[in-house]
Amino acid sequence: MKKSVLAFGALALGVAFSAPVMAADVSACLITKTDTNPFFVKMKEGATAKAKELGVSLKSYAGKIDGDSESQVAAIESCIADGAKGILLTASDTKGIVPAVKKARDAGLLVIALDTPLEPADAADATFATDNLLAGKLIGQWAKETMGDKAKDAKVGFLDLTPSQPTVDVLRDQGFMIGFGIDPKNPDKIGDEDDKRIVGHDVTNGNEEGGRKAMENLLQKDPGINVIHTINEPAAVGAYQALKAVGMEKNVLIVSVDGGCPGVKSVKEGVIGATSQQYPLLMASLGIEAIKKFADSGEKPKPTEGKSFFDTGVSLVTDKPVSGVKSIDTKEGTDKCWG
């Protein structure tokens, strides 16, 4: 009788402890461009929370700076060696990373691009992202309507990301042009436009210091510049600092993309005129869910109907709404912000 009771107790104990052991067998990797940008910090928070909820073992990696593809390739190699079931990736070099991604997929890992589509996009199993073209269009339309008749004689500068022109950079850049009424020419390339309103492009590496230097460079090209599109809000803040240093902060309309809490605060304070808010926590948490589902059933995520990727949403945030462009104010933007 004692033996039976002990056997039953051992069996019960085995059942009690088997769930977490089995869950730990599902492992995932998050590889971001940096671990300092608030966007990627929030992405990591979302992935970590969802992984804990679902019992997934998560390892996180990041490049030293935006554009550090070598560290991302090394991270993919580590994930393959560790036997991960899937990788969530925000690629710095959307073309250069593709061979490493192929190696991971050939090894049986599910690879999901977050925020930044690969080139080609189907190099990943799926993409969970903001509609970055729409994000650009929204701030372009807002800037055009805000300027009114002056838009036709605007002097526009672009503070882009990196020389490699990752897809997220191209999409936001080209979207802004379309929204503002500028012909982007080749939709897959930055810098081939011939609109006389464009002062020039410079790169920022997505940070404040880069934004400040890029703004200074564009001011040297044309001190009459009056519209600035920035790849993200840290770059926008850097641009504002450069403008303020020469007393031009009230003469230039700055628009951006991100929607982090510091960025929404910058909109409220008038540093940024409008920003397109995206939702990195949602991207990452959905990505972890997709890896867990793939590990359990082999099923891969499907794109949003009518799109080539899973759309995680975008909202224009401004306290100066214009006709024909749907937006939310900074109060609502603060309720939805991150970072």
Side-chain angles (χ1 to χ4, degrees):
M1 187 67 153
K2 283 184 179 178
K3 286 183 180 179
S4 299
V5 171
L6 286 169
F8 180 79
L11 180 62
L13 245 125
V15 171
F17 287 106
S18 65
V21 171
M22 288 176 66
D25 288 339
V26 179
S27 60
C29 293
L30 172 68
I31 305 173
T32 55
K33 295 176 185 178
T34 73
D35 57 6
T36 55
N37 186 312
F39 183 85
F40 301 120
V41 171
K42 184 54 63 173
M43 190 175 276
K44 184 177 178 180
E45 286 179 15
T48 301
K50 183 57 68 171
K52 184 177 181 180
E53 177 189 329
L54 298 180
V56 173
S57 174
L58 178 68
K59 288 188 177 181
S60 299
Y61 304 84
K64 297 178 181 68
I65 61 169
D66 207 323
D68 176 15
S69 187
E70 289 183 5
S71 293
Q72 293 193 318
V73 170
I76 291 175
E77 295 281 356
S78 296
C79 296
I80 296 170
D82 288 345
K85 297 294 185 182
I87 296 172
L88 304 179
L89 170 67
T90 61
S92 285
D93 185 342
T94 48
K95 291 179 182 177
I97 201 81
V98 167
V101 169
K102 183 178 186 304
K103 186 175 180 180
R105 293 180 70 187
D106 288 346
L109 281 74
L110 179 76
V111 180
I112 299 175
L114 297 184
D115 178 55
T116 306
L118 301 184
E119 295 181 81
D122 62 5
D125 290 290
T127 301
F128 289 6
T130 305
D131 187 333
N132 282 294
L133 188 70
L134 176 58
K137 284 181 180 178
L138 287 171
I139 53 176
Q141 290 170 340
W142 180 86
K144 181 182 179 182
E145 293 302 317
T146 297
M147 293 196 75
D149 291 340
K150 294 180 180 178
K152 66 180 185 299
D153 298 313
K155 292 185 177 182
V156 186
F158 292 83
L159 301 194
D160 299 318
L161 191 56
T162 62
S164 66
Q165 299 190 7
T167 50
V168 65
D169 199 5
V170 175
L171 289 166
R172 294 178 189 180
D173 197 294
Q174 307 292 273
F176 173 88
M177 291 186 199
I178 294 168
F180 198 78
I182 294 172
D183 183 355
K185 298 299 181 181
N186 184 344
D188 300 320
K189 182 180 178 182
I190 292 173
D192 66 333
E193 319 85 25
D194 57 12
D195 194 298
K196 293 180 180 178
R197 291 175 290 179
I198 297 179
V199 172
H201 296 259
D202 209 323
V203 296
T204 66
N205 289 317
N207 59 51
E208 285 188 26
E209 180 61 16
R212 185 183 63 78
K213 289 181 178 178
M215 187 71 250
E216 290 173 350
N217 292 339
L218 290 179
L219 283 172
Q220 288 179 2
K221 284 188 176 183
D222 191 335
I225 198 166
N226 57 7
V227 182
I228 290 291
H229 162 271
T230 62
I231 181 65
N232 64 9
E233 290 155 2
V237 170
Y240 181 83
Q241 291 168 350
L243 291 165
K244 189 173 183 180
V246 293
M248 286 186 59
E249 71 274 17
K250 294 182 180 179
N251 302 341
V252 182
L253 190 65
I254 301 175
V255 293
S256 196
V257 178
D258 260 352
C261 296
V264 174
K265 184 172 182 285
S266 290
V267 173
K268 187 174 183 178
E269 293 173 347
V271 172
I272 301 172
T275 192
S276 287
Q277 187 172 65
Q278 46 183 351
Y279 305 102
L281 191 149
L282 180 62
M283 290 179 202
S285 60
L286 289 173
I288 293 295
E289 286 181 357
I291 290 174
K292 180 66 165 63
K293 188 172 186 179
F294 173 73
D296 291 344
S297 67
E299 184 178 341
K300 295 184 178 182
K302 295 178 175 60
T304 298
E305 187 174 351
K307 297 189 177 184
S308 61
F309 62 97
F310 188 94
D311 187 353
T312 53
V314 62
S315 302
L316 183 73
V317 181
T318 184
D319 285 332
K320 299 177 180 178
V322 296
S323 177
V325 185
K326 186 178 179 181
S327 64
I328 61 176
D329 61 20
T330 54
K331 184 178 183 302
E332 187 173 349
T334 300
D335 291 339
K336 297 179 176 181
C337 74
W338 43 266

